[in-house]
Short mmCIF file of all heavy atoms in Angstrom, two decimals:
data_model
loop_
_atom_site.label_atom_id
_atom_site.label_comp_id
_atom_site.label_asym_id
_atom_site.label_seq_id
_atom_site.Cartn_x
_atom_site.Cartn_y
_atom_site.Cartn_z
N VAL A 260 -8.44 -0.86 1.87
CA VAL A 260 -7.19 -0.72 2.61
C VAL A 260 -6.93 -1.97 3.44
O VAL A 260 -5.83 -2.46 3.49
CB VAL A 260 -7.21 0.56 3.48
CG1 VAL A 260 -6.01 0.63 4.39
CG2 VAL A 260 -7.29 1.80 2.63
N GLY A 261 -7.99 -2.50 4.06
CA GLY A 261 -7.83 -3.71 4.86
C GLY A 261 -7.46 -4.91 4.01
O GLY A 261 -6.57 -5.68 4.36
N THR A 262 -8.12 -5.08 2.89
CA THR A 262 -7.84 -6.21 2.00
C THR A 262 -6.42 -6.13 1.46
O THR A 262 -5.73 -7.14 1.34
CB THR A 262 -8.84 -6.24 0.83
OG1 THR A 262 -10.15 -6.38 1.37
CG2 THR A 262 -8.55 -7.39 -0.11
N ALA A 263 -5.97 -4.92 1.15
CA ALA A 263 -4.62 -4.74 0.60
C ALA A 263 -3.54 -4.89 1.67
O ALA A 263 -2.37 -5.02 1.35
CB ALA A 263 -4.50 -3.37 -0.06
N GLY A 264 -3.94 -4.89 2.94
CA GLY A 264 -2.97 -5.07 4.02
C GLY A 264 -1.99 -3.93 4.15
O GLY A 264 -0.82 -4.13 4.41
N LEU A 265 -2.49 -2.70 3.97
CA LEU A 265 -1.60 -1.54 4.09
C LEU A 265 -1.20 -1.30 5.53
O LEU A 265 -2.00 -1.49 6.45
CB LEU A 265 -2.29 -0.29 3.54
CG LEU A 265 -2.77 -0.34 2.09
CD1 LEU A 265 -3.26 1.04 1.66
CD2 LEU A 265 -1.70 -0.85 1.16
N SER A 266 0.04 -0.88 5.72
CA SER A 266 0.57 -0.56 7.05
C SER A 266 1.01 0.89 7.07
O SER A 266 1.63 1.37 6.12
CB SER A 266 1.79 -1.42 7.37
OG SER A 266 1.46 -2.78 7.39
N ILE A 267 0.70 1.57 8.16
CA ILE A 267 1.21 2.93 8.35
C ILE A 267 2.52 2.79 9.11
O ILE A 267 2.55 2.32 10.25
CB ILE A 267 0.21 3.80 9.14
CG1 ILE A 267 -1.09 3.91 8.35
CG2 ILE A 267 0.81 5.18 9.42
CD1 ILE A 267 -2.22 4.56 9.12
N ASP A 268 3.61 3.17 8.45
CA ASP A 268 4.94 2.98 9.02
C ASP A 268 5.47 4.23 9.71
O ASP A 268 6.34 4.12 10.59
CB ASP A 268 5.92 2.56 7.92
CG ASP A 268 5.47 1.27 7.25
OD1 ASP A 268 4.88 0.40 7.93
OD2 ASP A 268 5.71 1.12 6.04
N GLU A 269 5.01 5.38 9.30
CA GLU A 269 5.46 6.66 9.89
C GLU A 269 4.34 7.67 9.69
O GLU A 269 3.72 7.72 8.63
CB GLU A 269 6.73 7.14 9.19
CG GLU A 269 7.29 8.43 9.72
CD GLU A 269 8.50 8.90 8.93
OE1 GLU A 269 9.20 8.08 8.32
OE2 GLU A 269 8.72 10.13 8.93
N MET A 270 4.10 8.50 10.73
CA MET A 270 3.04 9.48 10.62
C MET A 270 3.39 10.72 11.44
O MET A 270 3.47 10.66 12.65
CB MET A 270 1.71 8.90 11.10
CG MET A 270 0.55 9.82 10.92
SD MET A 270 -1.11 9.10 11.18
CE MET A 270 -0.91 7.79 12.32
N THR A 271 3.64 11.82 10.72
CA THR A 271 3.79 13.13 11.34
C THR A 271 2.92 14.08 10.53
O THR A 271 2.35 13.70 9.52
CB THR A 271 5.26 13.62 11.32
OG1 THR A 271 5.63 13.92 9.97
CG2 THR A 271 6.21 12.59 11.93
N HIS A 272 2.84 15.32 10.94
CA HIS A 272 2.05 16.30 10.19
C HIS A 272 2.72 16.68 8.86
O HIS A 272 2.06 17.21 7.98
CB HIS A 272 1.80 17.56 11.03
CG HIS A 272 0.81 17.32 12.11
ND1 HIS A 272 -0.54 17.33 11.90
CD2 HIS A 272 0.98 17.03 13.42
CE1 HIS A 272 -1.17 17.06 13.02
NE2 HIS A 272 -0.27 16.88 13.96
N GLU A 273 4.02 16.39 8.72
CA GLU A 273 4.75 16.72 7.50
C GLU A 273 4.99 15.54 6.58
O GLU A 273 5.24 15.72 5.39
CB GLU A 273 6.12 17.33 7.85
CG GLU A 273 6.07 18.59 8.66
CD GLU A 273 5.92 18.34 10.17
OE1 GLU A 273 6.23 17.22 10.65
OE2 GLU A 273 5.47 19.25 10.87
N ARG A 274 4.94 14.31 7.11
CA ARG A 274 5.34 13.14 6.34
C ARG A 274 4.56 11.91 6.80
O ARG A 274 4.41 11.69 8.00
CB ARG A 274 6.83 12.93 6.54
CG ARG A 274 7.43 11.73 5.88
CD ARG A 274 8.92 11.68 6.23
NE ARG A 274 9.44 10.33 6.17
CZ ARG A 274 10.14 9.86 5.15
NH1 ARG A 274 10.40 10.63 4.12
NH2 ARG A 274 10.59 8.62 5.17
N LEU A 275 4.10 11.13 5.81
CA LEU A 275 3.37 9.90 6.14
C LEU A 275 3.84 8.79 5.20
O LEU A 275 3.95 9.01 4.00
CB LEU A 275 1.86 10.12 5.99
CG LEU A 275 1.03 9.09 6.74
CD1 LEU A 275 -0.09 9.77 7.49
CD2 LEU A 275 0.49 8.05 5.80
N VAL A 276 4.14 7.63 5.77
CA VAL A 276 4.63 6.49 5.00
C VAL A 276 3.67 5.32 5.16
O VAL A 276 3.34 4.93 6.28
CB VAL A 276 6.05 6.07 5.45
CG1 VAL A 276 6.56 4.89 4.62
CG2 VAL A 276 7.01 7.24 5.38
N VAL A 277 3.22 4.77 4.02
CA VAL A 277 2.34 3.61 3.99
C VAL A 277 3.01 2.54 3.13
O VAL A 277 3.61 2.86 2.10
CB VAL A 277 0.96 3.99 3.38
CG1 VAL A 277 0.06 2.78 3.29
CG2 VAL A 277 0.29 5.08 4.19
N SER A 278 2.89 1.27 3.55
CA SER A 278 3.52 0.20 2.78
C SER A 278 2.61 -1.01 2.68
O SER A 278 1.63 -1.14 3.41
CB SER A 278 4.85 -0.20 3.42
OG SER A 278 4.62 -0.77 4.70
N THR A 279 2.96 -1.89 1.76
CA THR A 279 2.30 -3.18 1.62
C THR A 279 3.31 -4.20 1.13
O THR A 279 4.26 -3.86 0.43
CB THR A 279 1.08 -3.12 0.67
OG1 THR A 279 0.34 -4.35 0.80
CG2 THR A 279 1.47 -2.92 -0.77
N ARG A 280 3.10 -5.43 1.54
CA ARG A 280 3.93 -6.53 1.06
C ARG A 280 3.33 -7.08 -0.23
O ARG A 280 2.14 -6.96 -0.46
CB ARG A 280 4.00 -7.64 2.11
CG ARG A 280 4.68 -7.20 3.41
CD ARG A 280 4.67 -8.32 4.46
NE ARG A 280 3.29 -8.68 4.80
CZ ARG A 280 2.83 -9.92 4.86
NH1 ARG A 280 3.61 -10.95 4.61
NH2 ARG A 280 1.57 -10.16 5.17
N ASN A 281 4.17 -7.69 -1.04
CA ASN A 281 3.69 -8.34 -2.25
C ASN A 281 3.18 -9.72 -1.86
O ASN A 281 3.94 -10.66 -1.71
CB ASN A 281 4.81 -8.45 -3.29
CG ASN A 281 4.32 -9.03 -4.60
OD1 ASN A 281 3.16 -9.35 -4.76
ND2 ASN A 281 5.24 -9.18 -5.53
N ARG A 282 1.88 -9.81 -1.69
CA ARG A 282 1.26 -11.09 -1.34
C ARG A 282 0.08 -11.33 -2.26
O ARG A 282 -0.37 -10.44 -2.95
CB ARG A 282 0.88 -11.14 0.13
CG ARG A 282 0.04 -10.00 0.60
CD ARG A 282 0.02 -9.96 2.13
NE ARG A 282 -0.81 -8.87 2.57
CZ ARG A 282 -2.13 -8.89 2.62
NH1 ARG A 282 -2.79 -9.96 2.27
NH2 ARG A 282 -2.80 -7.84 3.01
N ARG A 283 -0.41 -12.54 -2.27
CA ARG A 283 -1.41 -12.97 -3.24
C ARG A 283 -2.60 -12.02 -3.35
O ARG A 283 -3.07 -11.74 -4.45
CB ARG A 283 -1.90 -14.37 -2.88
CG ARG A 283 -2.91 -14.88 -3.88
CD ARG A 283 -3.02 -16.34 -3.79
NE ARG A 283 -1.78 -16.85 -4.33
CZ ARG A 283 -1.66 -18.00 -4.94
NH1 ARG A 283 -2.69 -18.77 -5.06
NH2 ARG A 283 -0.51 -18.40 -5.42
N LYS A 284 -3.11 -11.50 -2.24
CA LYS A 284 -4.30 -10.65 -2.27
C LYS A 284 -4.12 -9.38 -3.10
O LYS A 284 -5.09 -8.79 -3.55
CB LYS A 284 -4.73 -10.25 -0.86
CG LYS A 284 -5.42 -11.33 -0.10
CD LYS A 284 -5.93 -10.79 1.22
CE LYS A 284 -6.77 -11.82 1.93
NZ LYS A 284 -7.39 -11.29 3.13
N VAL A 285 -2.89 -8.91 -3.26
CA VAL A 285 -2.66 -7.66 -4.00
C VAL A 285 -1.91 -7.87 -5.32
O VAL A 285 -1.57 -6.91 -5.98
CB VAL A 285 -1.90 -6.61 -3.15
CG1 VAL A 285 -2.73 -6.18 -1.96
CG2 VAL A 285 -0.53 -7.12 -2.71
N GLN A 286 -1.72 -9.12 -5.70
CA GLN A 286 -0.94 -9.39 -6.91
C GLN A 286 -1.76 -9.31 -8.19
O GLN A 286 -2.95 -9.59 -8.20
CB GLN A 286 -0.30 -10.78 -6.84
CG GLN A 286 0.89 -10.83 -5.92
CD GLN A 286 1.51 -12.21 -5.88
OE1 GLN A 286 0.94 -13.19 -6.33
NE2 GLN A 286 2.72 -12.27 -5.33
N ASN A 287 -1.06 -8.94 -9.25
CA ASN A 287 -1.64 -8.97 -10.59
C ASN A 287 -1.32 -10.31 -11.25
O ASN A 287 -0.73 -11.20 -10.61
CB ASN A 287 -1.14 -7.78 -11.43
CG ASN A 287 0.37 -7.76 -11.55
OD1 ASN A 287 1.06 -8.76 -11.39
ND2 ASN A 287 0.92 -6.59 -11.84
N HIS A 288 -1.62 -10.45 -12.51
CA HIS A 288 -1.43 -11.70 -13.23
C HIS A 288 0.04 -12.05 -13.49
O HIS A 288 0.35 -13.18 -13.88
CB HIS A 288 -2.20 -11.67 -14.56
CG HIS A 288 -1.71 -10.63 -15.51
ND1 HIS A 288 -1.94 -9.28 -15.31
CD2 HIS A 288 -0.99 -10.73 -16.64
CE1 HIS A 288 -1.38 -8.60 -16.29
NE2 HIS A 288 -0.80 -9.45 -17.12
N ILE A 289 0.96 -11.11 -13.27
CA ILE A 289 2.38 -11.41 -13.47
C ILE A 289 3.15 -11.46 -12.14
O ILE A 289 4.37 -11.44 -12.12
CB ILE A 289 3.04 -10.42 -14.47
CG1 ILE A 289 2.88 -8.97 -14.00
CG2 ILE A 289 2.48 -10.62 -15.87
CD1 ILE A 289 3.63 -7.96 -14.85
N GLY A 290 2.41 -11.49 -11.02
CA GLY A 290 3.04 -11.67 -9.72
C GLY A 290 3.52 -10.41 -9.03
O GLY A 290 4.10 -10.49 -7.96
N GLY A 291 3.28 -9.26 -9.64
CA GLY A 291 3.65 -7.99 -8.99
C GLY A 291 2.45 -7.41 -8.27
O GLY A 291 1.35 -7.97 -8.30
N ILE A 292 2.65 -6.30 -7.62
CA ILE A 292 1.54 -5.62 -6.96
C ILE A 292 0.64 -5.01 -8.03
O ILE A 292 1.11 -4.37 -8.96
CB ILE A 292 2.05 -4.58 -5.94
CG1 ILE A 292 2.75 -5.33 -4.80
CG2 ILE A 292 0.91 -3.72 -5.42
CD1 ILE A 292 3.30 -4.45 -3.71
N HIS A 293 -0.65 -5.24 -7.89
CA HIS A 293 -1.65 -4.80 -8.86
C HIS A 293 -1.64 -3.28 -8.98
O HIS A 293 -1.39 -2.55 -8.02
CB HIS A 293 -3.03 -5.29 -8.41
CG HIS A 293 -4.07 -5.16 -9.46
ND1 HIS A 293 -4.71 -3.98 -9.72
CD2 HIS A 293 -4.58 -6.08 -10.31
CE1 HIS A 293 -5.57 -4.17 -10.70
NE2 HIS A 293 -5.52 -5.44 -11.07
N ALA A 294 -1.95 -2.80 -10.18
CA ALA A 294 -1.98 -1.36 -10.46
C ALA A 294 -2.90 -0.61 -9.49
O ALA A 294 -2.54 0.47 -9.00
CB ALA A 294 -2.42 -1.12 -11.90
N ALA A 295 -4.06 -1.17 -9.20
CA ALA A 295 -5.00 -0.50 -8.30
C ALA A 295 -4.44 -0.43 -6.88
O ALA A 295 -4.65 0.55 -6.17
CB ALA A 295 -6.35 -1.22 -8.31
N ALA A 296 -3.71 -1.46 -6.46
CA ALA A 296 -3.10 -1.45 -5.13
C ALA A 296 -1.98 -0.41 -5.04
O ALA A 296 -1.80 0.24 -4.00
CB ALA A 296 -2.57 -2.83 -4.77
N MET A 297 -1.24 -0.22 -6.13
CA MET A 297 -0.21 0.82 -6.15
C MET A 297 -0.84 2.20 -6.01
O MET A 297 -0.36 3.04 -5.25
CB MET A 297 0.60 0.76 -7.44
CG MET A 297 1.53 -0.42 -7.53
SD MET A 297 2.62 -0.25 -8.97
CE MET A 297 1.86 -1.40 -10.09
N ALA A 298 -1.92 2.44 -6.76
CA ALA A 298 -2.62 3.72 -6.67
C ALA A 298 -3.21 3.90 -5.27
O ALA A 298 -3.19 5.01 -4.72
CB ALA A 298 -3.71 3.80 -7.72
N LEU A 299 -3.70 2.82 -4.68
CA LEU A 299 -4.25 2.88 -3.33
C LEU A 299 -3.19 3.31 -2.32
O LEU A 299 -3.48 4.08 -1.40
CB LEU A 299 -4.84 1.52 -2.94
CG LEU A 299 -5.42 1.41 -1.54
CD1 LEU A 299 -6.65 2.31 -1.40
CD2 LEU A 299 -5.77 -0.03 -1.22
N LEU A 300 -1.97 2.83 -2.47
CA LEU A 300 -0.88 3.24 -1.59
C LEU A 300 -0.70 4.76 -1.62
O LEU A 300 -0.63 5.41 -0.57
CB LEU A 300 0.44 2.59 -2.03
CG LEU A 300 0.84 1.27 -1.45
CD1 LEU A 300 2.06 0.73 -2.17
CD2 LEU A 300 1.09 1.37 0.03
N ALA A 301 -0.62 5.31 -2.82
CA ALA A 301 -0.41 6.75 -2.97
C ALA A 301 -1.60 7.55 -2.45
O ALA A 301 -1.44 8.55 -1.75
CB ALA A 301 -0.14 7.11 -4.43
N GLU A 302 -2.81 7.09 -2.77
CA GLU A 302 -4.02 7.79 -2.33
C GLU A 302 -4.15 7.75 -0.81
O GLU A 302 -4.50 8.74 -0.18
CB GLU A 302 -5.25 7.15 -3.00
CG GLU A 302 -6.54 7.89 -2.77
CD GLU A 302 -7.31 7.37 -1.58
OE1 GLU A 302 -7.00 6.28 -1.07
OE2 GLU A 302 -8.25 8.07 -1.14
N THR A 303 -3.83 6.62 -0.21
CA THR A 303 -3.93 6.48 1.24
C THR A 303 -2.91 7.36 1.95
O THR A 303 -3.25 8.07 2.91
CB THR A 303 -3.75 5.00 1.65
OG1 THR A 303 -4.78 4.23 1.03
CG2 THR A 303 -3.84 4.83 3.16
N ALA A 304 -1.68 7.34 1.49
CA ALA A 304 -0.63 8.15 2.13
C ALA A 304 -0.96 9.63 2.05
O ALA A 304 -0.87 10.36 3.04
CB ALA A 304 0.73 7.86 1.50
N THR A 305 -1.35 10.10 0.87
CA THR A 305 -1.63 11.52 0.70
C THR A 305 -2.91 11.93 1.44
O THR A 305 -2.97 12.98 2.06
CB THR A 305 -1.73 11.90 -0.79
OG1 THR A 305 -2.74 11.11 -1.43
CG2 THR A 305 -0.40 11.72 -1.49
N GLY A 306 -3.93 11.08 1.38
CA GLY A 306 -5.19 11.40 2.04
C GLY A 306 -5.08 11.44 3.54
O GLY A 306 -5.63 12.35 4.19
#
């Protein structure tokens, strides 16, 4: 989570928002956010 630079943008008992910027540490070979980083976003928010 630290390496991916995730940010908690909103947190209530009903809703949680996590985000990341597209930067080199999380990019894949085509310049987008890596598949594992996308899954990490969803896993972090839900968890």
Side-chain angles (χ1 to χ4, degrees):
V260 173
T262 300
L265 302 187
S266 298
I267 299 171
D268 301 327
E269 181 183 334
M270 184 169 28
T271 69
H272 287 279
E273 300 83 20
R274 177 181 154 100
L275 199 135
V276 181
V277 177
S278 65
T279 191
R280 296 177 299 132
N281 184 1
R282 53 194 181 79
R283 182 161 289 210
K284 284 186 173 186
V285 296
Q286 284 181 346
N287 58 22
H288 64 288
I289 57 174
I292 293 181
H293 193 279
M297 288 189 257
L299 179 66
L300 269 172
E302 188 267 347
T303 300
T305 57

